[in-house]
Amino acid sequence: MSLFVPMNLTCPNCAAVFTYEAVGSVNADRRPDLRTEILEDRFQTATCSECGHGFRLEPDFNYLDVGRHQWIAALPASQLRDHLDIVADTQAVFDLSYGAQAPAAAQSVGQDLQQRLVFGWPALREKLVLQDIGFDDTLWEVAKLDLLRRLPEAPMAEGVELRLMGAQADMLDLAWISASSETHLNDFQVERRLYDHIAADPAPWQAVQVLLASSPFVDIQKLFMGEGPP
């Protein structure tokens, strides 16, 4: 089931303190409405009881969707630089819940789950979009790398991410987004064949696929930061 816990929040606008039900875990099978809220960028949006200012809590929860075979540890974008250490922590959580250290019934569920780690709301939302349109997320990250070498300009900087927003017929909607503020810096479209070409013949990209899939954190950002010592 989905778990929520009361949390005292401080309004960034007026500094008033108020209580909000913060999410601890999401079960999208039982609460599909929460999945919809994530896709619509309105999940965990709090409103100050004093001044009415709205703001969004950073993600810090586990997301489960057995029907779509997804288990995702979603953490704040600010923790991205610590991804090497966090991978081990999230693996331990999964092992206790659905992996080798879980009860037999839970392990039977876990064997069909794709385990992922993401940082920030845009990254989490993208994983849900990819599942909806039937894209392999590792191959999609490969497609991003292929796209980056083709773009005349790319606003690449720490905290700025390239994310898939959706698909329309033969076109894909993408955006450069500030992960912390969720601000769209640039929205554009590319042809779907960018992905289809790689999915039809992934062999030339085998080496980078191995790097991307070396941990549950499947994201091109880790290639720019390095994977740490062997």
Side-chain angles (χ1 to χ4, degrees), residues 123 126-127 130 136-148 162-164 195 198 205 208 212 217-223:
E126 183 179 56
K127 293 299 184 186
L130 289 169
D136 178 277
D137 68 334
T138 302
L139 292 181
W140 171 244
E141 295 300 318
V142 171
K144 284 184 187 177
L145 289 172
D146 189 34
L147 177 62
L148 287 177
L162 178 61
R163 296 297 175 193
L164 176 67
Y195 171 86
I198 292 172
W205 299 89
V208 73
L212 287 165
F217 180 41
V218 179
D219 196 301
I220 60 172
Q221 294 182 94
K222 70 180 181 183
L223 302 183

Coordinates of all heavy atoms in Angstrom, one line a residue, residues 123 126-127 130 136-148 162-164 195 198 205 208 212 217-223:
A123 N 13.3 13.1 -13.6 CA 13.9 11.8 -13.9 C 12.9 10.7 -13.6 O 12.7 9.7 -14.4 CB 15.1 11.5 -13.1
E126 N 10.1 10.7 -16.3 CA 10.6 10.1 -17.6 C 10.5 8.6 -17.6 O 10.1 8.0 -18.5 CB 12.0 10.5 -17.8 CG 12.5 10.0 -19.2 CD 13.9 10.5 -19.5 OE1 14.8 10.2 -18.6 OE2 14.2 11.1 -20.5
K127 N 10.8 7.9 -16.4 CA 10.8 6.5 -16.3 C 9.3 6.0 -16.6 O 9.1 4.9 -17.2 CB 11.3 6.0 -15.0 CG 12.8 6.2 -14.8 CD 13.7 5.5 -15.8 CE 15.1 5.7 -15.4 NZ 16.0 5.1 -16.4
L130 N 8.5 6.4 -20.3 CA 9.1 5.4 -21.1 C 8.4 4.1 -21.1 O 8.2 3.4 -22.1 CB 10.6 5.2 -20.7 CG 11.6 6.3 -21.0 CD1 12.9 6.1 -20.2 CD2 11.8 6.4 -22.5
D136 N 12.6 0.9 -24.1 CA 13.6 0.4 -23.1 C 14.4 1.6 -22.6 O 15.0 2.3 -23.4 CB 14.5 -0.6 -23.8 CG 15.6 -1.2 -22.9 OD1 16.7 -0.5 -22.8 OD2 15.4 -2.3 -22.4
D137 N 14.5 1.7 -21.3 CA 15.1 2.9 -20.8 C 16.6 3.0 -21.0 O 17.2 4.1 -21.2 CB 14.8 3.1 -19.3 CG 15.4 2.1 -18.4 OD1 15.7 1.0 -18.8 OD2 15.6 2.4 -17.2
T138 N 17.3 1.8 -21.1 CA 18.7 1.8 -21.4 C 19.0 2.3 -22.8 O 19.8 3.1 -23.1 CB 19.3 0.4 -21.1 OG1 19.1 0.0 -19.8 CG2 20.8 0.4 -21.4
L139 N 18.2 1.7 -23.7 CA 18.3 2.2 -25.1 C 18.0 3.6 -25.3 O 18.5 4.3 -26.2 CB 17.5 1.3 -26.0 CG 17.9 -0.2 -26.1 CD1 17.0 -1.0 -27.1 CD2 19.4 -0.3 -26.6
W140 N 17.0 4.1 -24.5 CA 16.7 5.5 -24.6 C 17.8 6.4 -24.2 O 18.1 7.4 -24.8 CB 15.4 5.8 -23.8 CG 15.2 7.3 -23.7 CD1 15.2 8.1 -22.6 CD2 14.9 8.2 -24.8 NE1 14.9 9.4 -23.0 CE2 14.7 9.5 -24.3 CE3 14.8 8.0 -26.2 CZ2 14.5 10.6 -25.1 CZ3 14.5 9.1 -27.0 CH2 14.4 10.4 -26.5
E141 N 18.5 6.0 -23.1 CA 19.7 6.8 -22.7 C 20.8 6.8 -23.8 O 21.5 7.8 -24.1 CB 20.3 6.2 -21.4 CG 19.3 6.4 -20.2 CD 19.0 7.8 -19.9 OE1 19.9 8.7 -20.0 OE2 17.8 8.1 -19.6
V142 N 20.9 5.6 -24.5 CA 21.8 5.6 -25.7 C 21.4 6.5 -26.8 O 22.2 7.2 -27.3 CB 21.9 4.1 -26.2 CG1 22.6 4.1 -27.6 CG2 22.5 3.2 -25.2
A143 N 20.1 6.6 -27.0 CA 19.5 7.5 -28.0 C 19.8 9.0 -27.6 O 20.1 9.8 -28.5 CB 18.0 7.3 -28.2
K144 N 19.8 9.3 -26.3 CA 20.1 10.6 -25.9 C 21.6 11.0 -26.3 O 21.9 12.1 -26.7 CB 19.9 10.7 -24.4 CG 18.5 10.9 -23.9 CD 18.6 11.1 -22.4 CE 17.2 11.0 -21.7 NZ 17.3 11.2 -20.3
L145 N 22.5 10.0 -26.0 CA 23.9 10.2 -26.3 C 24.0 10.5 -27.8 O 24.8 11.4 -28.3 CB 24.7 9.0 -25.9 CG 24.9 8.9 -24.4 CD1 25.6 7.5 -24.1 CD2 25.7 10.0 -23.8
D146 N 23.3 9.7 -28.6 CA 23.4 9.9 -30.1 C 22.8 11.3 -30.5 O 23.4 11.9 -31.4 CB 22.6 8.8 -30.8 CG 22.8 8.7 -32.3 OD1 23.9 9.1 -32.7 OD2 21.8 8.4 -33.0
L147 N 21.8 11.7 -29.8 CA 21.2 13.0 -30.1 C 22.1 14.1 -29.7 O 22.2 15.1 -30.5 CB 19.8 13.1 -29.3 CG 19.1 14.5 -29.5 CD1 18.7 14.7 -30.9 CD2 17.9 14.5 -28.6
L148 N 22.8 14.0 -28.6 CA 23.7 15.1 -28.1 C 24.8 15.4 -29.1 O 25.2 16.6 -29.3 CB 24.3 14.7 -26.8 CG 23.4 14.7 -25.6 CD1 24.1 14.2 -24.3 CD2 22.8 16.1 -25.3
L162 N 18.3 16.4 -19.9 CA 17.5 16.2 -21.1 C 16.5 15.1 -20.8 O 16.9 14.0 -20.5 CB 18.4 15.8 -22.3 CG 17.7 15.5 -23.6 CD1 16.9 16.7 -24.1 CD2 18.7 15.0 -24.6
R163 N 15.2 15.4 -20.9 CA 14.2 14.5 -20.5 C 13.1 14.3 -21.6 O 12.7 15.3 -22.3 CB 13.5 14.9 -19.2 CG 14.4 14.9 -18.0 CD 14.9 13.5 -17.7 NE 15.9 13.6 -16.6 CZ 16.7 12.6 -16.3 NH1 16.6 11.4 -17.0 NH2 17.6 12.7 -15.3
L164 N 12.7 13.1 -21.7 CA 11.5 12.8 -22.7 C 10.2 13.1 -21.9 O 10.0 12.6 -20.9 CB 11.6 11.3 -23.0 CG 10.4 10.8 -23.9 CD1 10.5 11.4 -25.3 CD2 10.4 9.3 -24.0
Y195 N 15.1 6.8 -31.8 CA 15.1 5.6 -30.9 C 15.0 4.3 -31.7 O 15.7 3.4 -31.4 CB 14.0 5.7 -29.9 CG 13.8 4.5 -29.1 CD1 14.6 4.3 -27.9 CD2 12.9 3.5 -29.4 CE1 14.4 3.1 -27.1 CE2 12.7 2.4 -28.7 CZ 13.5 2.2 -27.6 OH 13.4 1.0 -26.8
I198 N 18.2 2.7 -33.2 CA 19.0 2.1 -32.2 C 18.4 0.8 -31.7 O 19.1 -0.2 -31.5 CB 19.3 3.1 -31.0 CG1 20.2 4.2 -31.5 CG2 20.0 2.4 -29.9 CD1 20.4 5.3 -30.6
W205 N 26.3 -0.2 -30.0 CA 26.3 0.6 -28.8 C 26.4 -0.3 -27.6 O 26.2 0.1 -26.4 CB 24.9 1.3 -28.7 CG 24.7 2.3 -29.8 CD1 24.1 2.1 -31.0 CD2 25.1 3.7 -29.8 NE1 24.0 3.2 -31.7 CE2 24.6 4.2 -31.0 CE3 25.7 4.5 -28.9 CZ2 24.8 5.6 -31.3 CZ3 25.9 5.8 -29.2 CH2 25.5 6.4 -30.4
V208 N 28.5 1.0 -24.3 CA 27.9 2.0 -23.5 C 26.6 1.5 -22.8 O 26.3 1.9 -21.7 CB 27.5 3.3 -24.4 CG1 26.4 3.0 -25.3 CG2 27.2 4.5 -23.5
L212 N 25.8 1.9 -18.9 CA 24.5 2.4 -18.4 C 23.8 1.5 -17.5 O 23.1 1.9 -16.5 CB 23.6 2.8 -19.6 CG 24.1 4.0 -20.4 CD1 23.3 4.1 -21.7 CD2 23.8 5.3 -19.6
F217 N 20.9 2.8 -11.4 CA 20.9 4.2 -11.8 C 21.2 4.2 -13.3 O 22.4 4.3 -13.7 CB 21.9 5.0 -11.0 CG 22.0 6.4 -11.4 CD1 20.9 7.2 -11.7 CD2 23.2 7.1 -11.5 CE1 20.9 8.5 -12.0 CE2 23.3 8.4 -11.8 CZ 22.2 9.1 -12.1
V218 N 20.2 4.1 -14.1 CA 20.4 4.0 -15.6 C 20.1 5.4 -16.1 O 19.0 5.8 -16.4 CB 19.4 3.0 -16.2 CG1 19.6 3.0 -17.7 CG2 19.7 1.6 -15.6
D219 N 21.2 6.2 -16.3 CA 21.0 7.6 -16.7 C 22.4 8.1 -17.3 O 23.4 7.8 -16.7 CB 20.6 8.5 -15.5 CG 20.1 9.8 -15.9 OD1 20.9 10.6 -16.5 OD2 19.0 10.2 -15.5
I220 N 22.4 8.8 -18.4 CA 23.6 9.2 -19.0 C 24.4 10.2 -18.1 O 25.6 10.4 -18.3 CB 23.4 9.9 -20.4 CG1 22.5 11.2 -20.2 CG2 22.8 8.9 -21.4 CD1 22.4 12.0 -21.5
Q221 N 23.8 10.8 -17.1 CA 24.5 11.7 -16.2 C 25.6 11.0 -15.5 O 26.7 11.6 -15.2 CB 23.5 12.2 -15.1 CG 22.4 13.1 -15.7 CD 21.5 13.7 -14.7 OE1 21.7 14.8 -14.2 NE2 20.5 12.9 -14.3
K222 N 25.5 9.7 -15.2 CA 26.6 9.0 -14.5 C 27.8 8.9 -15.4 O 28.9 8.7 -14.9 CB 26.1 7.7 -13.9 CG 25.9 6.6 -15.0 CD 25.4 5.3 -14.2 CE 25.2 4.2 -15.2 NZ 24.7 3.0 -14.4
L223 N 27.6 8.9 -16.7 CA 28.8 8.8 -17.6 C 29.6 10.1 -17.5 O 30.8 10.0 -17.7 CB 28.3 8.5 -19.0 CG 27.4 7.3 -19.2 CD1 27.1 7.1 -20.7 CD2 28.1 6.0 -18.7

